[in-house]
Amino acid sequence: MISLATLITFAAAVAVFAVTPGPNVLFVLSRSVGQGRRAGIASVLGLILGWYGHAFATAIGLAALVREVPWSYDVVRGIGAAYLLYLAWQAWRGTGAFALDPARQGSSDLWRIARDALITNLTNPKTALFFLALLPQFVAPERGPVMAQVLVLATVYSVIAAGILLLLVQAAGRIGEWLSRHPKIILWQQRAMATIMAGLALRLAFDIRR
């Protein structure tokens, strides 16, 4: 299977990628601050499913479509930007999944949060390109089934990235608890969160691929 040296190199790349600000980090932080630790954990679980989705796509060759068909990247980028704009609108209105009252969180709400995280991750071109660009470099067909190697790498990615995000959840949750006692600050936090998400969506939409 995969050598120890290969796993260490891959883990280092994942650690750098995981702490880079992007849609996934912003999503987890916004949900944790706005809705508490349970919402943040649900977001991380949704992201994990998305990472495995990207890994499977890479393993079976679907991710190659992004590389071979130029406009497919723009389609993925456009879907991701549109979804972030939708989430930004919800945050600005203070409705839907961005209602900032952790006490009202139920299992259905947490399921919706995990679903939103999954969709945000699957439509994140940054993650898709990361898996497309790096995973093949760490897979050697002569070492065994490609699918098995990809699953190992996806698991390493999930453990490291999720671990970093869960640390952020703990810190952001404390901030959320304090904000819940200050309604006026919560209102401005909602508006700031919506502005950041909208700006990120526009950057995704108009970023020129080099």
Side-chain angles (χ1 to χ4, degrees), residues 69-141:
V69 183
W71 54 263
S72 65
Y73 174 85
D74 295 326
V75 171
V76 174
R77 181 179 58 183
I79 293 174
Y83 193 71
L84 283 175
L85 284 175
Y86 167 73
L87 294 179
W89 173 244
Q90 281 197 321
W92 186 270
R93 295 175 59 199
T95 58
F98 280 95
L100 303 183
D101 186 356
R104 295 188 301 180
Q105 288 293 336
S107 59
S108 60
D109 293 321
L110 295 176
W111 167 253
R112 185 169 60 248
I113 290 171
R115 179 205 63 191
D116 289 344
L118 171 61
I119 296 174
T120 299
N121 196 357
L122 289 177
T123 58
N124 181 0
K126 180 182 176 184
T127 304
L129 291 177
F130 176 85
F131 275 80
L132 175 63
L134 284 191
L135 280 187
Q137 299 182 33
F138 294 93
V139 173

Side-chain angles (χ1 to χ4, degrees), residues 142-157:
E142 65 274 11
R143 289 183 176 272
V146 171
M147 179 63 74
Q149 294 184 59
V150 169
L151 288 178
V152 170
L153 294 175
T155 300
V156 172
Y157 184 99

Side-chain angles (χ1 to χ4, degrees), residues 11-89:
V14 171
V16 173
F17 181 79
V19 298
T20 302
N24 291 343
V25 173
L26 177 60
F27 190 95
V28 170
L29 285 178
S30 64
R31 292 308 173 95
S32 300
V33 171
Q35 296 169 281
R37 296 186 185 93
R38 292 177 63 200
I41 294 172
S43 298
V44 174
L45 292 177
L47 292 178
I48 291 174
L49 292 177
W51 293 328
Y52 275 102
H54 285 297
F56 273 112
T58 300
I60 64 178
L62 292 180
L65 181 65
V66 177
R67 183 182 65 242
E68 300 297 334
V69 183
W71 54 263
S72 65
Y73 174 85
D74 295 326
V75 171
V76 174
R77 181 179 58 183
I79 293 174
Y83 193 71
L84 283 175
L85 284 175
Y86 167 73
L87 294 179
W89 173 244

